[in-house]
Amino acid sequence: MVTFVDHVTLHLKAGHGGNGCVSVRREKFKPLAGPDGGNGGHGGDIVLVSDPQTTTLLGFHRHPHQSSDNGGPGMGDHRAGGNGGELELAVPIGTVVKDADGVELIDMSEPGMRFVVAEGGQGGLGNASLATTKRKAPGFALLGTEGWEGDVLLELKTVADVALVGYPSAGKSSLVAAMSAAKPKIADYPFTTLHPNLGVVETGSVRYTIADVPGLIEGASEGKGLGLEFLRHVERCSALLHVLDCATLEPGRDPISDLDVILGELAAYPVPEGQVPLLDRPQLIALNKIDVPEARELADFVKPDLEARGYRVFEISTASHEGLRQLSFALAELVEDSRIAAAADPKPAKIVMRPRAVDDAGFVIKVEGGTHGNVYRIIGAKPERWVQQTDFTNDEAVGFLADRLAKLGVEDQLFKSGAVSGSAVVIGRGNGVVFDWEPTLTSTAELVTSPRGSDPRLEGQRRRTSNQRREEYFELMDAKAEARAELVREKEAGLWADEDEL
């Protein structure tokens, strides 16, 4: 079954950042000449680009899983890893991007708009970038962080100047084909049109687009038929054209009742905040299929009643093209007036600035009850990223993480939250990284096997030289000789005597 895809869920996975490198430069006569580990490359972003040449989301419906390249790892000799390639996804103009919870992220209503929907991971720093005056030879590097992974919703809302609305088989697709070069599917059964058809019309010096919105029946705004799926495509149109079937053979239907039903459905459909309600927009009426004699008579009969309601009414035939020229010029006039009004009252771009609060520490601590006491969970962008960058098999890297957390003020906040020695602390959501907190340690330098800021590989030789061993030997012999002389003096002074002399 052929279906029109105007909303799709994308499963995105941005590239991970590359790990930093731990390396020590080695030259002739300089076996340990300092750290030279390069940084890891950044993971590739996934970017949505509004493209005028793209008209459907069908490609994403068939391939919903999209991923970008990972960053390369750092290397020795200060060589940085390559950045992952950026992945660009072309979407039609009028695509609304929402997160997994349905919150709108951006409305890509203009051509050429770019939106980073999934940010790549950050590359880790090599030990050369971590070297400071106090840590001259770091024996560790930072790991690359993971790229964003999750789902986003794409919803297409057709961008057209005029929307054709009406009952199924009223002749909307035929009108699009008659007024433009579009070739939609046309048949004599209801719901032939399964997706909005777009057509470009040139009338005089005005060029505008028309869209056929299919499937409007009574109850469409409540989910009946196909109307609810496609009513969203009416939101962006500046004018409405009601196409009424004057040759219908269904009992209980006539142009007046059809119009009332469609108006009721349009009134029941809520438009986004800030947009003009559908019924407040300019509207025209086209009485279609007047090439049929009975339909012409019916059109002549109902036209005065419709004009009495304030509508401009045109009798047309998509088969013989009768009345299409007058209708085309009337639509062009509405579109031109709408464009002039929009140009005279442009909406300034909203610049939203959200400065960081003065009391925002960059993280929060949530106290959660556990089987063996409270668990203190640390949630924040920086702590969570730092944990991802830490190699927990390296003691010096763990000490570096502890120093960063202490500098951020995590320990002070744990004290205020009631944490005591041995309390379980979790960094991150879900399982996270769990450790037992020791408040007496301002850092975990005691866990590092070498002094802070040093590397045992760069320390000097600890073996004694020949001169040192000779000096130590002479000092030992002199000490023994002095001890023997002291015994002799004590014996002569009568402080002690040998057993043979007693």
Side-chain angles (χ1 to χ4, degrees):
M1 179 179 178
V2 180
T3 58
F4 177 67
V5 179
D6 62 352
H7 54 86
V8 69
T9 300
L10 284 184
H11 311 286
L12 304 179
K13 183 178 181 181
H16 301 329
N19 297 335
C21 177
V22 181
S23 176
V24 176
R25 184 173 181 83
R26 290 169 173 82
E27 300 178 0
K28 189 176 182 180
F29 306 116
K30 293 182 180 180
L32 300 174
D36 67 345
N39 302 333
H42 301 305
D45 298 332
I46 300 180
V47 184
L48 299 180
V49 181
S50 55
D51 183 11
Q53 304 301 323
T54 305
T55 58
T56 179
L57 300 175
L58 184 60
F60 299 128
H61 176 71
R62 294 171 177 171
H63 303 283
H65 297 271
Q66 301 287 338
S67 60
S68 56
D69 298 332
N70 298 328
M75 296 166 284
D77 198 18
H78 299 282
R79 292 176 297 173
N83 295 329
E86 184 180 80
L87 177 63
E88 290 189 357
L89 303 178
V91 297
I93 299 175
T95 301
V96 178
V97 185
K98 301 180 180 180
D99 61 12
D101 298 327
V103 179
E104 182 176 328
L105 302 178
I106 188 174
D107 184 358
M108 308 189 73
S109 58
E110 299 293 337
M113 294 181 64
R114 296 174 59 87
F115 176 65
V116 179
V117 66
E119 188 174 0
Q122 181 178 340
L125 298 179
N127 63 340
S129 299
L130 295 173
T132 62
T133 55
K134 297 182 179 180
R135 187 187 295 107
K136 296 183 178 181
F140 69 99
L142 298 184
L143 306 179
T145 61
E146 297 181 355
W148 188 87
E149 183 175 357
D151 298 341
V152 295
L153 307 178
L154 302 184
E155 181 178 310
L156 175 60
K157 297 182 180 180
T158 305
V159 178
D161 296 308
V162 180
L164 309 184
V165 294
Y167 261 76
S169 298
K172 299 184 297 298
S173 298
S174 300
L175 183 58
V176 173
M179 296 182 65
S180 67
K183 299 183 182 300
K185 180 181 178 181
I186 300 172
D188 58 352
Y189 55 87
F191 300 108
T192 305
T193 306
L194 296 177
H195 61 85
N197 297 308
L198 285 176
V200 179
V201 182
E202 291 190 11
T203 302
S205 61
V206 181
R207 183 175 182 178
Y208 59 93
T209 57
I210 56 177
D212 163 20
V213 180
L216 292 186
I217 62 175
E218 187 173 3
S221 60
E222 301 174 359
K224 295 182 181 180
L226 301 178
L228 185 61
E229 291 293 324
F230 302 113
L231 269 172
R232 68 172 66 94
H233 297 281
V234 187
E235 294 179 6
R236 302 179 185 274
C237 300
S238 56
L240 302 179
L241 175 61
H242 297 277
V243 181
L244 304 181
D245 186 0
C246 293
T248 180
L249 300 178
E250 296 183 22
R253 279 189 55 192
D254 60 79
I256 300 295
S257 62
D258 288 356
L259 177 63
D260 293 337
V261 171
I262 298 301
L263 292 177
E265 297 305 319
L266 295 178
Y269 182 76
V271 298
E273 183 180 356
Q275 293 190 13
V276 179
L278 298 181
L279 295 186
D280 293 343
R281 303 179 188 185
Q283 302 176 54
L284 299 180
I285 292 180
L287 299 175
N288 194 16
K289 302 182 182 181
I290 62 172
D291 54 291
V292 179
E294 294 80 1
R296 184 184 295 272
E297 294 179 3
L298 181 59
D300 294 338
F301 179 74
V302 300
K303 182 177 180 180
D305 293 338
L306 296 176
E307 290 178 339
R309 295 189 182 187
Y311 295 105
R312 294 181 61 186
V313 183
F314 297 85
E315 299 182 12
I316 65 170
S317 171
T318 57
S320 62
H321 290 201
E322 181 180 351
L324 295 186
R325 179 176 176 83
Q326 295 84 347
L327 176 62
S328 178
F329 275 97
L331 292 175
E333 182 181 352
L334 291 181
V335 172
E336 191 172 15
D337 293 342
S338 176
R339 292 175 180 175
I340 293 175
D345 187 20
K347 296 182 179 179
K350 295 182 179 180
I351 301 177
V352 180
M353 301 183 63
R354 296 184 176 91
R356 179 177 173 181
V358 294
D359 58 346
D360 184 8
F363 66 93
V364 294
I365 298 180
K366 297 183 178 180
V367 182
E368 302 174 355
T371 305
H372 303 286
N374 290 335
V375 176
Y376 299 86
R377 185 179 298 276
I378 302 173
I379 298 177
K382 285 186 177 181
E384 294 179 26
R385 184 178 73 249
W386 292 347
V387 166
Q388 292 186 30
Q389 294 176 327
T390 302
D391 179 10
F392 287 94
T393 62
N394 188 303
D395 293 335
E396 191 175 357
V398 176
F400 181 69
L401 171 63
D403 291 345
R404 300 174 88 179
L405 293 176
K407 185 176 180 180
L408 189 62
V410 171
E411 184 161 326
D412 295 338
Q413 292 298 326
L414 286 174
F415 269 119
K416 295 179 181 179
S417 300
V420 296
S421 177
S423 296
V425 177
V426 183
I427 300 180
R429 296 173 174 82
N431 295 332
V433 178
V434 185
F435 61 93
D436 294 333
W437 182 56
E438 291 295 337
T440 56
L441 300 179
T442 57
S443 71
T444 55
E446 291 83 353
L447 302 178
V448 183
T449 57
S450 59
R452 169 65 67 218
S454 63
D455 192 327
R457 297 170 296 178
L458 303 180
E459 294 180 359
Q461 297 290 338
R462 295 186 178 182
R463 295 179 58 184
R464 294 175 298 170
T465 63
S466 298
N467 291 334
Q468 291 175 341
R469 288 197 297 270
R470 186 179 299 107
E471 292 177 359
E472 292 178 0
Y473 175 76
F474 288 155
E475 291 177 359
L476 179 60
M477 293 299 100
D478 292 342
K480 289 183 177 180
E482 179 63 27
R484 286 194 295 269
E486 181 66 21
L487 291 175
V488 171
R489 289 194 294 271
E490 292 178 355
K491 180 178 179 181
E492 293 176 352
L495 298 179
W496 60 275
D498 296 335
E499 294 181 358
D500 297 340
E501 295 179 357
L502 296 177

